[in-house]
Amino acid sequence: MNILEQMRLELSEKKLFDQARNFAFNYIDRIEDMDVFPSEENIKKLDLFDEPLKEKSCSATEIINQLHNFGSSGTIAQTGGRYFGFVNGGAVPVSLGVKWLSDVWDQCGGLYLTSPINAKLEQICEQWLKTIFKLPKETVAGFVSGTSMANLSGLAAARFRLLKNLGWDINLKGLNGSPKIKIIAHEQIHASIKKTLAMLGFGHENITWIPSDNQGRFNTEALPELDDHSLIILQAGNANTGSFDDFNIICDIANKAGSWVHIDGAFGLWAAASKSLSYLTNGIEKASSWAVDGHKTLNTPYDSGVILCKDSEALLSALQATGEYIIYSEQRDPLLYTPELSKRSRGIELWATIKYLGKTGIDTMVTTFHIRAKQLEKGLQTIGFKILNDVVFNQVLVACKNDQQTNLVLNFIQTSGQCWCGGSTWQGKVVIRISICSWMTSEKDIEQTIEVFAKAKNLSENRPAV
Ligand SMILES: *Cc1c(COP(=O)(O)O)cnc(C)c1O
């Protein structure tokens, strides 16, 4: 039997899918007892993957066994309740189920002609997201891999529009010799914005960096004079503190001047979906473009970012490098709104997640992240930790009495297997950064986490100073 015949047989027998499903179910059942970060021993097992590429094919069963036996123990317990690293979300069960199903469909999501169902569901997600975030009705959405790509797309649209206002077609003439765009961002802007600005040909030295206030917000008083070739980049959800810029004040001034405001709302834009937290996003509707992730606060699986843009002509022109829209079909063609051509039909999971949760479900999930963050803040304060930020959303910044102790506590936590938090620096201090971003995180998980912190603190205090 040659390899093609063998694949045909495997597809019809489906044994390999049963095997994968059993292992997946086993993983789901173990998630709450797993080490939140793999032990050294389990990381060592990953060396088994070091092997030269062989001439002969390998059996499907062997591959799935290898992944389960030596790969799954090298994972982060991302879908459990005590992983607080970066701002990583969990996964809503139906979104995983729908991903499995639609992976079998293997749709190329670029065109209506390559996947009518994906084109349809993207269109529905576009409408629903506008409702959730209360954005202007002319807003269009592009479904990309994450907020990094969404930021790139939004800032490319801004570049197109602002240069067009100055009589310069960026797609024809490029950046050499172009009029200057005034870019204004604050020091606490996310690294993906800096990366994106460099990729778009705006050197970091040409950016007017605005100081941040003590919560990492744009210091509104430092806003320079704006005009119709200014681009202001704001943030809904600072990755350290979870703080939100003052959208109302800045957008009002920007709109009067004809400037473009882009909001990076990777995880924070979802505050708009919570009745008790939506005050944080007041005024976002006055901006021109917004970037947001499904895979963070909404808890879709990875590979789910969205660019929302009020100026569809600018977005489509920037991404298709032509002044006119190429119409591939009479329906909505997803590729017009993204940098990619072939792409995963990621709108399917996003649609399922939003439909499943409904407005109330999203509100409950987002509001609960905040409630848990407050629970953790209070618990950690009680046992003598300092909380360095105002816990307005889901992020908590923790420190001990000095950097050395904070590092000891962080190291204990990261190797405990009980929970996992990342480290960062905040206003010159070493901090432990906690992000509550998974629907699985329960009240009990927070209690357990506080116990781990207490143990770490005791150990760090009994240790002789070096
Ligand atoms: C995570 C994050 C990004 C980058 O998003 P990806 O989905 O990782 O590409 C950008 N901005 C903020 C504020 C973030 O938290």
Side-chain angles (χ1 to χ4, degrees):
M1 193 160 47
N2 74 22
I3 189 79
L4 306 179
E5 288 158 349
Q6 188 181 317
M7 288 193 280
R8 198 173 284 275
L9 180 70
E10 280 164 354
L11 199 61
S12 72
E13 282 185 346
K14 303 187 186 57
K15 272 196 261 173
L16 77 91
F17 299 113
D18 278 336
Q19 186 194 7
R21 190 188 61 174
N22 290 340
F23 288 156
F25 286 0
N26 173 277
Y27 188 87
I28 290 172
D29 291 340
R30 282 187 297 126
I31 192 74
E32 294 195 87
D33 303 318
M34 263 174 64
D35 282 342
V36 178
F37 192 90
S39 64
E40 258 175 60
E41 186 193 341
N42 281 333
I43 287 188
K44 192 84 194 104
K45 286 189 198 155
L46 299 178
D47 292 346
L48 282 159
F49 289 87
D50 291 323
E51 52 183 346
L53 178 62
K54 305 215 169 80
E55 280 302 327
K56 278 181 50 200
S57 72
C58 174
S59 92
T61 310
E62 195 182 319
I63 287 170
I64 294 171
N65 271 329
Q66 183 183 359
L67 257 190
H68 176 67
N69 292 332
F70 308 109
S72 77
S73 52
T75 60
I76 304 295
Q78 162 90 45
T79 52
R82 275 169 281 108
Y83 181 78
F84 307 115
F86 304 92
V87 191
N88 291 9
V92 169
V94 71
S95 66
L96 286 176
V98 163
K99 184 160 183 248
W100 281 17
L101 176 60
S102 59
D103 272 348
V104 171
W105 300 348
D106 194 26
Q107 300 286 285
C108 173
L111 291 169
Y112 174 82
L113 285 174
T114 55
S115 183
I117 175 63
N118 179 62
K120 181 74 187 173
L121 294 183
E122 279 200 7
Q123 190 174 21
I124 290 165
C125 286
E126 180 180 88
Q127 291 306 321
W128 287 356
L129 290 170
K130 282 194 276 184
T131 307
I132 293 168
F133 301 130
K134 303 177 195 71
L135 300 182
K137 64 174 185 320
E138 66 270 28
T139 302
V140 293
F143 298 86
V144 291
S145 55
T147 290
S148 300
M149 279 309 262
N151 282 334
L152 179 75
S153 307
L155 296 177
R159 184 179 71 167
F160 176 88
R161 174 57 67 215
L162 296 172
L163 286 176
K164 194 80 187 236
N165 288 347
L166 292 163
W168 188 270
D169 185 333
I170 177 77
N171 291 339
L172 295 180
K173 296 172 183 268
L175 269 184
N176 279 346
S178 72
K180 216 168 158 164
I181 295 181
K182 197 151 91 190
I183 301 177
I184 298 147
H186 64 106
E187 293 162 347
Q188 285 283 327
I189 208 75
H190 193 263
S192 68
I193 293 277
K194 292 184 186 160
K195 177 156 118 175
T196 296
L197 289 173
M199 285 165 73
L200 287 170
F202 301 121
H204 289 182
E205 289 180 2
N206 294 315
I207 293 155
T208 306
W209 295 106
I210 303 295
S212 309
D213 70 8
N214 66 349
Q215 294 297 317
R217 288 174 299 224
F218 192 109
N219 182 353
T220 315
E221 274 157 26
L223 187 69
E225 191 87 29
L226 302 179
D227 52 34
D228 63 357
H229 49 281
S230 305
L231 164 59
I232 304 104
I233 304 165
L234 300 180
Q235 194 164 249
N238 176 302
N240 276 317
T241 62
S243 69
F244 292 69
D245 292 336
D246 191 332
F247 308 113
N248 265 317
I249 293 189
I250 300 168
C251 289
D252 283 344
I253 300 170
N255 286 343
K256 247 184 229 137
S259 318
W260 184 293
V261 178
H262 173 80
I263 300 178
D264 174 357
F267 66 97
L269 213 63
W270 295 102
S274 157
K275 283 200 188 74
S276 57
L277 299 172
S278 64
Y279 74 95
L280 294 166
T281 57
N282 273 347
I284 53 167
E285 71 285 354
K286 298 176 187 170
S288 304
S289 53
W290 308 263
V292 65
D293 271 328
H295 56 229
K296 289 182 178 168
T297 319
L298 188 67
N299 282 228
T300 65
Y302 272 97
D303 190 39
S304 182
V306 188
I307 174 63
L308 292 143
C309 185
K310 186 153 69 177
D311 184 342
S312 66
E313 187 189 44
L315 184 71
L316 275 69
S317 303
L319 299 179
Q320 304 313 316
T322 161
E324 296 140 42
Y325 304 167
I326 306 165
I327 303 295
Y328 298 95
S329 79
E330 286 175 3
Q331 311 292 332
R332 185 187 196 276
D333 281 313
L335 68 76
L336 293 174
Y337 306 84
T338 64
E340 306 121 296
L341 214 161
S342 300
K343 63 184 188 99
R344 225 170 58 72
S345 292
R346 47 177 77 96
I348 301 178
E349 295 111 72
L350 185 61
W351 163 82
T353 312
I354 300 174
K355 183 176 162 82
Y356 171 78
L357 292 168
K359 280 192 198 170
T360 314
I362 300 175
D363 183 341
T364 303
M365 191 166 74
V366 174
T367 308
T368 304
F369 297 155
H370 177 61
I371 295 170
R372 300 269 179 269
K374 294 301 276 186
Q375 182 195 346
L376 187 63
E377 175 191 28
K378 201 163 156 229
L380 293 181
Q381 268 169 345
T382 308
I383 56 171
F385 285 98
K386 280 189 250 177
I387 306 300
L388 301 191
N389 64 319
D390 294 342
V391 181
V392 293
F393 195 44
N394 66 330
Q395 303 289 109
V396 187
L397 288 184
V398 187
C400 302
K401 62 175 188 291
N402 57 44
D403 286 356
Q404 193 198 1
Q405 194 189 3
T406 308
N407 276 324
L408 285 173
V409 168
L410 181 63
N411 184 54
F412 177 87
I413 288 167
Q414 291 190 337
T415 50
S416 71
Q418 301 292 303
C419 65
W420 200 91
C421 316
S424 184
T425 53
W426 178 249
Q427 295 174 339
K429 270 195 165 134
V430 174
V431 292
I432 301 171
R433 187 172 78 159
I434 303 168
S435 178
I436 314 285
C437 207
S438 169
W439 69 268
M440 276 283 275
T441 301
S442 64
E443 208 174 325
K444 195 163 145 260
D445 285 316
I446 300 291
E447 284 163 15
Q448 262 174 275
T449 301
I450 295 167
E451 277 169 33
V452 180
F453 270 80
K455 211 189 280 171
K457 187 160 177 284
N458 285 340
L459 281 172
S460 73
E461 280 163 359
N462 293 337
R463 227 160 138 146
V466 189

PDB file of all heavy atoms in Angstrom, residues 252-266:
ATOM      1  N   ASP A 252     -12.551  63.724  21.174  1.00  0.00           N
ATOM      2  CA  ASP A 252     -13.231  64.982  20.838  1.00  0.00           C
ATOM      3  C   ASP A 252     -12.245  65.963  20.197  1.00  0.00           C
ATOM      4  O   ASP A 252     -12.539  66.570  19.165  1.00  0.00           O
ATOM      5  CB  ASP A 252     -13.870  65.606  22.087  1.00  0.00           C
ATOM      6  CG  ASP A 252     -15.166  64.889  22.470  1.00  0.00           C
ATOM      7  OD1 ASP A 252     -15.702  64.137  21.614  1.00  0.00           O
ATOM      8  OD2 ASP A 252     -15.639  65.070  23.613  1.00  0.00           O
ATOM      9  N   ILE A 253     -11.076  66.083  20.798  1.00  0.00           N
ATOM     10  CA  ILE A 253     -10.071  67.006  20.244  1.00  0.00           C
ATOM     11  C   ILE A 253      -9.601  66.496  18.886  1.00  0.00           C
ATOM     12  O   ILE A 253      -9.495  67.254  17.912  1.00  0.00           O
ATOM     13  CB  ILE A 253      -8.869  67.150  21.217  1.00  0.00           C
ATOM     14  CG1 ILE A 253      -9.350  67.706  22.565  1.00  0.00           C
ATOM     15  CG2 ILE A 253      -7.781  68.030  20.624  1.00  0.00           C
ATOM     16  CD1 ILE A 253      -8.317  67.682  23.673  1.00  0.00           C
ATOM     17  N   ALA A 254      -9.348  65.208  18.803  1.00  0.00           N
ATOM     18  CA  ALA A 254      -8.836  64.618  17.549  1.00  0.00           C
ATOM     19  C   ALA A 254      -9.845  64.775  16.413  1.00  0.00           C
ATOM     20  O   ALA A 254      -9.479  65.100  15.281  1.00  0.00           O
ATOM     21  CB  ALA A 254      -8.518  63.146  17.770  1.00  0.00           C
ATOM     22  N   ASN A 255     -11.115  64.535  16.729  1.00  0.00           N
ATOM     23  CA  ASN A 255     -12.126  64.615  15.674  1.00  0.00           C
ATOM     24  C   ASN A 255     -12.285  66.036  15.158  1.00  0.00           C
ATOM     25  O   ASN A 255     -12.500  66.256  13.960  1.00  0.00           O
ATOM     26  CB  ASN A 255     -13.455  64.042  16.165  1.00  0.00           C
ATOM     27  CG  ASN A 255     -13.399  62.518  16.244  1.00  0.00           C
ATOM     28  OD1 ASN A 255     -12.513  61.891  15.641  1.00  0.00           O
ATOM     29  ND2 ASN A 255     -14.297  61.916  16.993  1.00  0.00           N
ATOM     30  N   LYS A 256     -12.178  66.997  16.043  1.00  0.00           N
ATOM     31  CA  LYS A 256     -12.251  68.400  15.609  1.00  0.00           C
ATOM     32  C   LYS A 256     -11.111  68.736  14.651  1.00  0.00           C
ATOM     33  O   LYS A 256     -11.277  69.473  13.682  1.00  0.00           O
ATOM     34  CB  LYS A 256     -12.194  69.331  16.834  1.00  0.00           C
ATOM     35  CG  LYS A 256     -13.519  70.065  17.029  1.00  0.00           C
ATOM     36  CD  LYS A 256     -13.448  71.063  18.177  1.00  0.00           C
ATOM     37  CE  LYS A 256     -14.657  70.849  19.084  1.00  0.00           C
ATOM     38  NZ  LYS A 256     -14.309  70.900  20.506  1.00  0.00           N
ATOM     39  N   ALA A 257      -9.950  68.131  14.925  1.00  0.00           N
ATOM     40  CA  ALA A 257      -8.761  68.433  14.112  1.00  0.00           C
ATOM     41  C   ALA A 257      -8.697  67.578  12.847  1.00  0.00           C
ATOM     42  O   ALA A 257      -7.856  67.785  11.979  1.00  0.00           O
ATOM     43  CB  ALA A 257      -7.514  68.211  14.956  1.00  0.00           C
ATOM     44  N   GLY A 258      -9.582  66.579  12.718  1.00  0.00           N
ATOM     45  CA  GLY A 258      -9.542  65.687  11.559  1.00  0.00           C
ATOM     46  C   GLY A 258      -8.458  64.619  11.674  1.00  0.00           C
ATOM     47  O   GLY A 258      -8.000  64.061  10.678  1.00  0.00           O
ATOM     48  N   SER A 259      -8.039  64.303  12.905  1.00  0.00           N
ATOM     49  CA  SER A 259      -6.999  63.281  13.112  1.00  0.00           C
ATOM     50  C   SER A 259      -7.638  61.886  13.137  1.00  0.00           C
ATOM     51  O   SER A 259      -8.853  61.754  13.213  1.00  0.00           O
ATOM     52  CB  SER A 259      -6.282  63.506  14.444  1.00  0.00           C
ATOM     53  OG  SER A 259      -6.019  64.866  14.661  1.00  0.00           O
ATOM     54  N   TRP A 260      -6.775  60.881  13.136  1.00  0.00           N
ATOM     55  CA  TRP A 260      -7.232  59.484  13.217  1.00  0.00           C
ATOM     56  C   TRP A 260      -6.882  58.957  14.600  1.00  0.00           C
ATOM     57  O   TRP A 260      -5.739  59.104  15.043  1.00  0.00           O
ATOM     58  CB  TRP A 260      -6.538  58.661  12.135  1.00  0.00           C
ATOM     59  CG  TRP A 260      -6.987  57.225  12.031  1.00  0.00           C
ATOM     60  CD1 TRP A 260      -6.805  56.235  12.957  1.00  0.00           C
ATOM     61  CD2 TRP A 260      -7.689  56.623  10.927  1.00  0.00           C
ATOM     62  NE1 TRP A 260      -7.352  55.058  12.502  1.00  0.00           N
ATOM     63  CE2 TRP A 260      -7.890  55.259  11.256  1.00  0.00           C
ATOM     64  CE3 TRP A 260      -8.164  57.090   9.697  1.00  0.00           C
ATOM     65  CZ2 TRP A 260      -8.534  54.364  10.392  1.00  0.00           C
ATOM     66  CZ3 TRP A 260      -8.797  56.194   8.834  1.00  0.00           C
ATOM     67  CH2 TRP A 260      -8.995  54.851   9.181  1.00  0.00           C
ATOM     68  N   VAL A 261      -7.849  58.334  15.266  1.00  0.00           N
ATOM     69  CA  VAL A 261      -7.561  57.692  16.552  1.00  0.00           C
ATOM     70  C   VAL A 261      -7.721  56.180  16.392  1.00  0.00           C
ATOM     71  O   VAL A 261      -8.761  55.698  15.947  1.00  0.00           O
ATOM     72  CB  VAL A 261      -8.505  58.196  17.674  1.00  0.00           C
ATOM     73  CG1 VAL A 261      -8.213  57.465  18.986  1.00  0.00           C
ATOM     74  CG2 VAL A 261      -8.372  59.700  17.869  1.00  0.00           C
ATOM     75  N   HIS A 262      -6.666  55.468  16.740  1.00  0.00           N
ATOM     76  CA  HIS A 262      -6.723  54.005  16.737  1.00  0.00           C
ATOM     77  C   HIS A 262      -6.685  53.534  18.195  1.00  0.00           C
ATOM     78  O   HIS A 262      -5.865  54.019  18.979  1.00  0.00           O
ATOM     79  CB  HIS A 262      -5.528  53.417  15.972  1.00  0.00           C
ATOM     80  CG  HIS A 262      -5.431  51.913  16.056  1.00  0.00           C
ATOM     81  ND1 HIS A 262      -6.201  51.079  15.268  1.00  0.00           N
ATOM     82  CD2 HIS A 262      -4.673  51.105  16.853  1.00  0.00           C
ATOM     83  CE1 HIS A 262      -5.916  49.807  15.570  1.00  0.00           C
ATOM     84  NE2 HIS A 262      -4.997  49.799  16.523  1.00  0.00           N
ATOM     85  N   ILE A 263      -7.556  52.596  18.528  1.00  0.00           N
ATOM     86  CA  ILE A 263      -7.561  52.060  19.900  1.00  0.00           C
ATOM     87  C   ILE A 263      -7.129  50.594  19.903  1.00  0.00           C
ATOM     88  O   ILE A 263      -7.744  49.758  19.239  1.00  0.00           O
ATOM     89  CB  ILE A 263      -8.964  52.184  20.549  1.00  0.00           C
ATOM     90  CG1 ILE A 263      -9.393  53.659  20.616  1.00  0.00           C
ATOM     91  CG2 ILE A 263      -8.960  51.559  21.950  1.00  0.00           C
ATOM     92  CD1 ILE A 263     -10.778  53.880  21.205  1.00  0.00           C
ATOM     93  N   ASP A 264      -6.057  50.309  20.636  1.00  0.00           N
ATOM     94  CA  ASP A 264      -5.651  48.926  20.864  1.00  0.00           C
ATOM     95  C   ASP A 264      -6.445  48.436  22.073  1.00  0.00           C
ATOM     96  O   ASP A 264      -6.166  48.823  23.204  1.00  0.00           O
ATOM     97  CB  ASP A 264      -4.142  48.869  21.127  1.00  0.00           C
ATOM     98  CG  ASP A 264      -3.676  47.469  21.528  1.00  0.00           C
ATOM     99  OD1 ASP A 264      -4.523  46.570  21.664  1.00  0.00           O
ATOM    100  OD2 ASP A 264      -2.458  47.296  21.710  1.00  0.00           O
ATOM    101  N   GLY A 265      -7.429  47.594  21.808  1.00  0.00           N
ATOM    102  CA  GLY A 265      -8.280  47.098  22.897  1.00  0.00           C
ATOM    103  C   GLY A 265      -8.237  45.592  22.975  1.00  0.00           C
ATOM    104  O   GLY A 265      -9.263  44.941  23.219  1.00  0.00           O
ATOM    105  N   ALA A 266      -7.052  45.023  22.774  1.00  0.00           N
ATOM    106  CA  ALA A 266      -6.876  43.569  22.668  1.00  0.00           C
ATOM    107  C   ALA A 266      -7.747  42.792  23.655  1.00  0.00           C
ATOM    108  O   ALA A 266      -8.533  41.936  23.268  1.00  0.00           O
ATOM    109  CB  ALA A 266      -5.415  43.206  22.856  1.00  0.00           C
TER     110      ALA A 266
END
